[in-house]
Amino acid sequence: MMRSMALLAKRVFDIVVSLAALVVLLPVIGLIALAIKLDDGGPLLFIQERVGRGLRKFRCIKFRTMIVGAESQGNRFIVTKNDARVTRVGDRLRSWTLDEIPQLINVLKGEMSIVGPRPWVEDQARHCAAKDRRRFDFKPGMAGWAWIHGRNKLPWDERVRLDLWYVDHWSFRLDVAILVKAVLMLLRRDGVHFADSAATLERGAAITRRAKS
């Protein structure tokens, strides 16, 4: 009963925070949209299918920060520092994590939460070990336990371990603590990019080995 009430509080918190943030950030959203259009004239949004709670798929919304068709080039969904696919405006947006503002709409719709494990693309979810799939017991979040411990600088296995710790120890109080730490991390702009292409290739190789096993 207590857990059900806490989960209800989590959902109410998501609705209140996402709605308030969208209203407050409306002028910023307008400026970002204008900047993207003036930069290269392409689409404002990048919408990608991600895997959420219970392995259900949803359309994750972000401001576009890369050239059109970037997901089929280079390291695909892995973005390293000085990635040539990132646009000039996109680099600034990614640096301050402003590209993720549209995910507030996903939160409002109930597809994501303000706090939770980061949403995976289908390739990542498909090769998730059975023992690790309880990370999908919670909605994916805009920020999470693994996120505040290093974001993209963390090795993949460490991120999974931290996601599982969050699922096993979740509380509404923990969500609030994570959100406070996440705001501080945004100000420092730490861990935005993956460490380097070598690490990216190693993660890709690990996924391939797991798929063959």
Side-chain angles (χ1 to χ4, degrees), residues 185-196:
M185 285 192 68
L186 286 177
L187 296 176
R188 291 202 308 264
R189 295 182 289 171
D190 187 36
V192 174
H193 301 285
F194 287 92
D196 51 49

Side-chain angles (χ1 to χ4, degrees), residues 128-146:
C128 180
K131 64 182 178 63
D132 298 333
R133 286 181 187 161
R134 68 182 186 280
R135 80 176 298 282
F136 296 105
D137 289 349
F138 274 71
K139 293 177 185 177
M142 295 183 68
W145 188 242

Side-chain angles (χ1 to χ4, degrees), residues 127-187:
H127 300 123
C128 180
K131 64 182 178 63
D132 298 333
R133 286 181 187 161
R134 68 182 186 280
R135 80 176 298 282
F136 296 105
D137 289 349
F138 274 71
K139 293 177 185 177
M142 295 183 68
W145 188 242
W147 196 92
I148 65 170
H149 280 83
R151 301 179 69 176
N152 292 321
K153 292 194 300 184
L154 289 177
W156 186 258
D157 289 346
E158 179 66 4
R159 277 192 258 175
V160 173
R161 185 188 70 79
L162 291 169
D163 282 345
L164 296 177
W165 188 95
Y166 171 80
V167 169
D168 293 339
H169 297 84
W170 175 81
S171 69
F172 184 72
R173 185 176 179 179
L174 177 62
D175 272 6
V176 173
I178 290 172
L179 185 57
V180 171
K181 181 67 181 294
V183 171
L184 296 176
M185 285 192 68
L186 286 177
L187 296 176

